[in-house]
């Protein structure tokens, strides 16, 4: 029987060889937003994993929008040049399509990296003032972020467009807008963080307004023949917050504007969240969004086993599987999944001789001999 996980899929005009996607994973290792040798090593490793698509980590559209001082950016010529160097090197060794996720951290900006505790960096210790829809801090003990005025909103919308154009100039194959995990666009969507009384706050239509405006502007700037998707938090996991019903309405609006896929994650906007963890705990969000809107969905969250991923695709719960931490732990996860499911992956010829007897046939186009 042919593995559905290792069957091809059309993401807009982009043909993927299987259904496995390398999720964007923050590395906190940039300098002034510019990629470093670490990104070359990390992305090169992921590009040889056997997945079908590699999405570069959350990349800030302006310096103020970085989560940490070490976060990647695409807001300057230096940022673009540094990322070009990395991409050229990776593409020289792998033909895996590469996309990028762009976003703005909002009130979660100016944070320490996780290995330093991840908390807000005060301005007098090298931090900067975060911005948000409303002057509502993430934690009660933190200073309030600066509430964006209309001029600030317009600046950020323009910054998304400029970053999308830079991504297009870099030849990236796909683009994802980050509207999840408590960052700026999610902050506008959620009534927990958006207390505005103007056209960007209040009713669902108003809270969706800025993310939809940014999506429309980016769709116009991003090449029409390249797919554009959105990562959402399908629920805040807090009573009275953003939920799946509102997410479905948002996805309907995105699809009508030309969205190609939804990356269905959850949470991140409130410390009051109560998450029910378990294998594939976010898959039901991808399933319902797909069923109610007909859009392609990417399932993420504690998907760790090959048979589990296979079942998600076979049962029609999602079209694609996103792996993040799982690929950091086991960068050859797709190889092992292909061996277990009878699939095939593409990898570098230098690795062909690693093939175990029990995995015969896993590597595509393999030719090998020695004397």
């Amino acid at each position: 029987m042919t593995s559905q996980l290792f069957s091809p899929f059309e993401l807009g005009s982009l043909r993927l060889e299987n259904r496995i996607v390398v999720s964007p994973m923050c590395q906190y290792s940039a300098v002034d937003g510019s990629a470093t040798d670490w990104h070359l090593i990390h992305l090169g490793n992921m590009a040889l994993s056997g997945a079908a698509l590699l999405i570069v980590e959350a990349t800030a559209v302006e310096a103020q929008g970085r989560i940490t001082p070490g976060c990647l950016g695409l807001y300057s010529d230096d940022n673009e040049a540094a990322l070009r160097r990395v991409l050229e090197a990776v593409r020289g060794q792998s033909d895996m399509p590469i996309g990028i996720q762009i976003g703005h951290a909002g009130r979660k900006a100016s944070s320490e990296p996780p290995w330093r505790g991840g908390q807000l960096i005060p301005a007098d210790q090298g931090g900067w003032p975060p911005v948000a829809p409303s002057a509502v801090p993430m934690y009660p003990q933190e200073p309030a972020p600066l509430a964006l005025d209309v001029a600030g909103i317009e600046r950020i919308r323009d910054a998304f467009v400029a970053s999308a154009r830079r991504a297009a100039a870099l030849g990236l194959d796909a683009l994802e807008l980050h509207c999840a995990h408590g960052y700026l666009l999610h902050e506008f969507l959620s009534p927990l963080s958006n207390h505005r009384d103007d056209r960007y706050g209040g009713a669902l239509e108003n809270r969706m307004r800025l993310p939809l405006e940014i999506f429309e502007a980016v769709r116009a700037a991003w090449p029409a023949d390249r797919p554009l998707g959105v990562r959402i938090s399908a629920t805040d996991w807090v009573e009275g917050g953003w939920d799946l019903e509102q997410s479905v309405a948002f996805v309907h609006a995105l699809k009508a504007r030309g969205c190609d896929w939804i990356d269905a994650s959850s949470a991140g906007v409130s410390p009051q969240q109560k998450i029910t963890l378990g294998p594939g705990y976010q898959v039901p969000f991808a399933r319902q969004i797909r069923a109610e809107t007909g859009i392609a969905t990417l399932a993420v969250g504690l998907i760790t086993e090959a048979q589990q991923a296979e079942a998600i695709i076979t049962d029609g719960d999602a079209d694609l599987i996103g792996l993040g931490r799982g690929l950091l732990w086991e960068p050859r996860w797709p190889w092992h999944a292909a061996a277990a499911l009878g699939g095939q992956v593409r990898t570098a010829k230098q690795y062909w001789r690693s093939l175990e007897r029990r995995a015969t046939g896993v590597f595509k186009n393999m030719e090998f001999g020695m004397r």
Side-chain angles (χ1 to χ4, degrees):
M1 183 179 295
T2 302
S3 166
Q4 293 303 300
L5 185 64
F6 289 93
S7 65
F9 184 72
E10 303 287 337
L11 190 60
S13 60
L14 183 62
R15 186 181 189 279
L16 304 181
E17 291 196 343
N18 59 56
R19 309 300 186 94
I20 304 170
V21 176
V22 181
S23 287
M25 296 175 279
C26 291
Q27 298 297 295
Y28 314 106
S29 300
V31 176
D32 295 328
S34 292
T36 64
D37 286 346
W38 174 258
H39 295 90
L40 177 57
I41 293 169
H42 166 66
L43 294 174
N45 188 24
M46 293 295 105
L48 299 175
S49 66
L53 174 65
L54 165 59
I55 303 180
V56 176
E57 69 190 82
T59 302
V61 299
E62 64 172 10
Q64 193 176 26
R66 292 171 297 161
I67 304 165
T68 75
C71 281
L72 200 64
L74 195 52
Y75 49 79
S76 73
D77 291 345
D78 286 346
N79 295 165
E80 185 176 339
L83 188 55
R84 185 182 300 279
R85 178 186 76 93
V86 168
L87 292 172
E88 287 177 350
V90 172
R91 286 169 174 151
Q93 308 303 323
S94 170
D95 59 3
M96 184 186 293
I98 303 175
I100 193 168
Q101 182 189 76
I102 58 172
H104 192 295
R107 68 180 184 176
K108 293 177 82 170
S110 188
S111 299
E112 293 281 10
W115 49 78
R116 292 181 182 168
Q119 300 306 299
L120 179 69
I121 305 173
D124 61 0
Q125 296 178 31
W128 59 90
V131 298
S134 307
V136 179
M138 180 72 184
Y139 293 95
Q141 69 272 19
E142 292 180 351
L146 302 175
L148 284 164
D149 58 16
V150 173
I153 287 173
E154 291 176 350
R155 183 195 77 242
I156 289 172
R157 184 172 60 232
D158 292 346
F160 270 91
V161 170
S163 290
R165 287 179 174 149
R166 290 184 185 276
L170 288 168
L172 287 156
D173 298 291
L175 185 67
E176 182 175 86
L177 295 188
H178 202 346
C179 293
H181 300 166
Y183 301 123
L184 184 66
L185 298 187
H186 181 191
E187 290 166 18
F188 270 88
L189 292 170
S190 176
L192 301 178
S193 47
N194 184 344
H195 297 180
R196 300 176 75 95
D197 58 7
D198 63 0
R199 64 196 300 266
Y200 291 106
L204 175 61
E205 178 184 3
N206 287 349
R207 285 182 280 115
M208 294 194 308
R209 190 181 306 278
L210 180 60
L212 291 176
E213 286 180 352
I214 288 176
F215 181 89
E216 288 180 334
V218 168
R219 180 70 277 183
W222 181 245
D225 62 344
R226 300 187 213 175
L228 174 62
V230 177
R231 180 167 234 186
I232 67 168
S233 278
T235 178
D236 289 339
W237 297 94
V238 178
E239 186 175 353
W242 182 256
D243 57 23
L244 185 54
E245 181 181 356
Q246 294 174 87
S247 290
V248 169
F250 182 44
V251 173
H252 274 298
L254 288 167
K255 185 181 178 185
R257 289 162 172 79
C259 184
D260 292 294
W261 84 90
I262 293 295
D263 184 347
S265 189
S266 69
V269 85
S270 171
Q272 303 304 314
Q273 62 193 24
K274 293 181 173 61
I275 303 175
T276 304
L277 289 174
Y281 71 103
Q282 296 180 136
V283 173
F285 305 140
R287 178 194 307 129
Q288 186 165 336
I289 289 168
R290 185 177 189 265
E292 294 198 29
T293 69
I295 201 166
T297 58
L298 188 153
V300 299
L302 293 182
I303 301 170
T304 59
E305 304 300 326
Q307 293 292 350
Q308 176 193 16
E310 178 78 6
I312 291 167
I313 302 300
T314 302
D315 294 346
D317 294 338
D319 300 282
L320 299 162
I321 302 294
L323 297 177
R325 292 174 177 87
L327 278 170
L328 292 180
W329 180 254
E330 176 46 85
R332 303 295 176 256
W333 189 95
W335 295 14
H336 302 305
L341 299 171
Q344 285 190 312
V345 296
R346 193 182 302 277
T347 193
K349 58 184 178 293
Q350 293 90 337
Y351 289 169
W352 284 348
R353 65 186 178 129
S354 70
L355 193 66
E356 297 181 354
R357 291 183 184 275
R358 63 183 176 86
T360 301
V362 164
F363 294 154
K364 289 184 178 181
N365 304 322
M366 178 177 169
E367 296 179 13
F368 199 78
M370 296 180 70
R371 71 185 185 104

